[in-house]
């Protein structure tokens, strides 16, 4: 008799954070930047409220009944999202954005990763 197929599930958790940045191109003059980006080119930056949904998919552990321990996921999101990004100036406080356009938050956060301590995918 074949072993039962693994039970798969998805679990999502939402986090919200606020951050600021400035739209500005070093290859343009100050006047060209102002014309292109308008108020988003303010030297002091402008802010956004971001919502991130992290989904873990994987096999349900037959002993715990969980895809991932919610406390572990919460701690991971705190370290990976909240601490580096919440209430930060993305231009100055987050190294990734020194080299990449600040509007690429979804690219930065959207890279698939392995969930800590469980082997399931985020």
């Amino acid at each position: 008799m074949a072993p039962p197929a693994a039970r798969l599930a998805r679990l999502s958790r939402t986090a919200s954070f606020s951050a600021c940045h400035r739209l500005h191109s070093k290859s343009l003059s100050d006047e060209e930047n102002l014309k292109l980006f308008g108020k988003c080119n303010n030297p002091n930056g402008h802010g956004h409220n971001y919502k991130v949904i992290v989904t873990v998919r994987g096999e349900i552990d037959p002993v715990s009944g969980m895809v991932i321990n919610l406390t572990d996921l919460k701690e991971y999101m705190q370290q990976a999202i909240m601490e580096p990004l919440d209430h930060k100036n993305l231009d100055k406080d987050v190294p990734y954005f020194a080299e990449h356009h600040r509007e690429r938050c979804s690219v930065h956060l959207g890279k698939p990763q392995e969930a800590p301590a469980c082997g399931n995918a985020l």
Side-chain angles (χ1 to χ4, degrees):
M1 177 179 221
R7 293 179 27 209
L8 300 175
R10 292 175 191 226
L11 175 73
S12 296
R13 184 173 177 91
T14 302
S16 298
F17 67 93
S18 300
C20 74
H21 69 112
R22 179 185 187 203
L23 294 179
H24 187 83
S25 173
K26 295 176 185 173
S27 63
L28 299 174
S29 69
D30 288 343
E31 293 79 23
E32 291 170 316
N33 271 293
L34 185 58
K35 183 178 178 182
L36 179 62
F37 298 119
K39 67 181 181 178
C40 296
N41 182 247
N42 181 330
N44 296 317
H46 67 281
H48 295 280
N49 295 314
Y50 296 90
K51 178 179 175 182
V52 179
I53 303 170
V54 174
T55 301
V56 178
R57 96 180 134 68
E59 293 182 18
I60 298 173
D61 182 274
V63 175
S64 70
M66 298 185 289
V67 175
I68 187 173
N69 183 308
L70 284 175
T71 301
D72 293 342
L73 180 57
K74 181 180 178 180
E75 289 174 10
Y76 175 79
M77 291 173 67
Q78 180 67 30
Q79 292 173 4
I81 299 168
M82 301 306 289
E83 289 175 12
L85 301 175
D86 191 33
H87 288 85
K88 300 292 170 67
N89 182 323
L90 298 179
D91 300 323
K92 298 175 182 177
D93 299 330
V94 183
Y96 174 85
F97 294 109
E99 300 297 322
H100 299 87
H101 199 278
R102 268 71 58 204
E103 294 292 325
R104 296 185 64 190
C105 247
S106 60
V107 173
H108 178 61
L109 292 173
K111 296 178 268 187
Q113 299 179 30
E114 188 170 300
C118 74
N120 288 330
L122 292 174

